[in-house]
Amino acid sequence: MKMYFTLRGLAVAKLPGLPTTVQGLSKLAKRENWEAQQRMGQGGGYEYHISNLPYEARKALEAQIAGEMLTRICESPRQLAPVTATLSNVPMTHRQRAAADARATIINAINEMCSQGVTQTAALTTLLTQAETGQLQALNPVLDKALQMAKDSRGRSNGTPYPSVRSLKRYLGKDVKELAPKKREKDMAPPPWANDFLMCWQRPEKPSVQHAYREFLSKWDSEEDAPSIHAVRRFIGKMGRVAQQHGRMGARELKNVMPFVRRDFSQLLPGDIYSADGHTFDAEVQHPLHGRPFRPEVTTWIDIATRKAVGVSVALAESGIAVLDALIDSCGKAVPAVIYVDNGSGYCNAMLKDEAVGVMARLGSTMTHSLPYNSQARGAIERIHQTLWVDGAKSLAGYMGADMDREARHQQFKLSRQAMKGGRQTLMPWEDFMDWVHARMDWYNDRPHSSLPKLTDASGKRRHASPNEVWQQHLDNGWVPMTLTGDEAAQIFRPRVIRKALRGEIRVFNNIYFSQELTEWHGEDVAVAYDLNNAEHIWVFDLEHDRLICRAEWNANRTDYMPMSVIEQAREKRYEGRLQRIESKRQEIEEERRGRPLLEHDESISLGALGSINGELIQHQLKKRAQPELVSAEPLSRFEAMSPTERYALHSAYAQGKREIPAGDQRWFKTYAKTAEYRSFKRREEELEEWGPAAAIR
């Protein structure tokens, strides 16, 4: 700090207790004999030491000099030392870090002033005085804001936004890491009653806090006073959001609020991974066979690398056949290396996964399943249902989704059934629905996808790429998809089963196929490939070398019956099941109308291996002995009067065409072939044909 001043400089400073003119100061200096030295430089004269001044004048002069130095510090381009780098590893809140930075800024400014000769007290006093009078705001608003942020708001308010000199002196004596104000931490220790309350609150019924608190009080048996409900709410507020839900949510539901892992697919190529899933359509359309309203099952396949929908199949219900149909459509674009699906029955079946005859083994693809109840792992295929089918179904007249108003959905259901009774239907026909499905697939593949990288289109707009554009980019970069020829696809995608060849015949789905080339394969297991929609012939392969043996024709050694394909048999089986359910429902309604009495208690006597008897049976036998046997009023039918051998011989004659079937015997001819009696005679006849007279002796 400058220690010698001229009389003109002291006069300009206008210090308290001193004259304000040069002449007055000169007389005072001569009268009090001030210490002086010769002034160096142009003009000469004398300079007087600051110690000659009175105390008040000396303090005022130091304050003015500190203010001038502060102005120079504010205008200097030199940067202050950063503090946040030193505190980067200290766990602090944003408010603590801001206060520490502000206090470090003040310390740097005071140290700069003291390095030029100003005392620490003068620097602090000058800094706060200029801040209180508003001068610091004009000189350096950053330093003024730092003073305000440095003040600890938890202390007593003195009516000023700036800290006191004493507080600033405390900052000077601390290390940089100790400049941050202390943070009041919550007491996270659980109270002694916490476990008892959580037993009442963390339950799957998800009771409210008040409900759980009432139950908690009813079980309170301690001598101490029970906590209030406000203390309970404060304790719950201290718990983490996930910790609060333990017990109230199951493991599967709790995963929706737990951290997760995002899978990166940027390094994948098209065809590396396919994913598939089925979805029950949210709108009703006309059934392809009878035209009644129903909701079809849509199976969609997508490529993970490009998010392109590569295959789709629409079926009447979820099945392995529907999955295979969609897989055939998908492999027309590229054969996948990995297929990632769930554990549904449409994917976990022998037709797809069997090591010997499964489609996956012949295709060369690996099927991988996600964990049960872990649909988040297949988020790509789960999300496509919302975009493709749920959103699209809302534009159709038969929408029946969960988002629709319940009353409107019920009204729509009634209107469609009333229209059906009148011989007309407002729902979309099956052919139009199939066209709509394929158009929807094309729309999805041409729209920008938010998970794909961005590009600049022809119009100069920056947007996300579409699945078709990303697929084409890979083709342009040299990627070549692996595809199948027509013959390869036919051999791979025909489902196979293992059957035993017996005397040139193979039984598949109640149909008999024959070929002379199977003669030497008698009694051996072979792989049989069949067409889903054509039951006229099958392809027989050697299990060991997968070599085609022959193509066996349906009933090539017979001339009876018309074949029924696998799909037709499945439909027939489904029809029979529906009719049986309707019949049982009709019987229940009839019994309800007639008021059938309750079944009586059966008090029977067990006779061990001989069975059991009851009182009703004994009474029936006694009455039967006491009364003569009554002749049935209804005569037996012609077939019931025959012996079993006569009935089987008559059916065989009809089946072999030796006798013409009368119109009245048509129903019996069809139903008799399903009886146990017919199967017994048929099995014995086959044994006789296979083993000759020896079988008859046995």
Side-chain angles (χ1 to χ4, degrees), residues 465-621:
S466 67
N468 278 339
E469 290 173 338
V470 177
W471 187 282
Q472 186 60 40
Q473 287 178 2
H474 285 282
L475 290 175
D476 297 339
N477 293 335
W479 172 75
V480 178
M482 188 187 78
T483 56
L484 302 173
T485 63
D487 294 338
E488 290 175 340
Q491 293 297 329
I492 289 176
F493 292 117
R494 287 192 185 110
R496 294 189 183 187
V497 292
I498 297 178
R499 293 292 185 267
K500 182 173 290 188
L502 294 174
R503 301 179 64 185
E505 288 185 346
I506 295 179
R507 292 178 177 268
V508 180
F509 303 114
N510 295 328
N511 292 330
I512 300 177
Y513 298 87
F514 176 81
S515 175
Q516 289 290 349
E517 299 180 20
L518 293 173
T519 302
E520 299 301 329
W521 296 86
H522 173 73
E524 295 190 18
D525 290 335
V526 292
V528 177
Y530 58 91
D531 194 335
L532 293 173
N533 298 294
N534 187 2
E536 294 291 338
H537 44 257
I538 58 174
W539 294 262
V540 185
F541 294 84
D542 180 10
L543 277 178
E544 183 177 357
H545 304 290
D546 197 25
R547 177 177 57 86
L548 179 65
I549 299 174
C550 65
R551 192 178 80 164
E553 302 291 335
W554 171 77
N555 278 345
N557 57 345
R558 290 191 182 185
T559 58
D560 299 327
Y561 305 170
M562 291 298 295
M564 181 177 293
S565 68
V566 177
I567 295 179
E568 291 174 347
Q569 291 189 26
R571 291 173 181 171
E572 188 67 25
K573 185 176 180 180
R574 184 168 64 250
Y575 298 152
E576 292 293 337
R578 293 176 61 185
L579 290 175
Q580 291 178 4
R581 290 191 294 271
I582 293 175
E583 180 63 23
S584 61
K585 189 67 176 178
R586 188 191 64 80
Q587 292 180 1
E588 180 182 350
I589 295 174
E590 290 291 342
E591 292 173 358
E592 183 179 350
R593 183 174 64 179
R594 293 194 301 266
R596 181 175 179 180
L598 295 174
L599 297 177
E600 297 180 356
H601 180 62
D602 184 16
E603 297 181 355
S604 58
I605 302 174
S606 176
L607 299 180
L610 300 178
S612 61
I613 61 175
N614 52 29
E616 183 179 353
L617 179 60
I618 296 174
Q619 294 296 330
H620 176 71
Q621 293 295 333

Side-chain angles (χ1 to χ4, degrees), residues 120-190:
Q120 187 181 91
T121 303
L124 294 176
T125 305
T126 302
L127 185 65
L128 291 177
T129 301
Q130 291 192 354
E132 293 287 351
T133 58
Q135 298 178 14
L136 187 61
Q137 175 67 26
L139 292 174
N140 191 346
V142 175
L143 192 57
D144 182 76
K145 185 66 176 178
L147 274 174
Q148 298 181 27
M149 295 176 62
K151 183 177 180 179
D152 194 346
S153 59
R154 298 175 301 170
R156 291 179 296 179
S157 176
N158 53 3
T160 176
Y162 304 101
S164 63
V165 175
R166 185 176 180 181
S167 297
L168 293 180
K169 287 183 178 180
R170 286 201 303 268
Y171 303 157
L172 294 172
K174 291 184 178 180
D175 186 72
V176 177
K177 295 182 179 181
E178 299 177 355
L179 289 176
K182 301 298 182 182
K183 179 184 177 184
R184 181 178 297 176
E185 299 290 343
K186 294 181 180 179
D187 183 11
M188 302 303 293

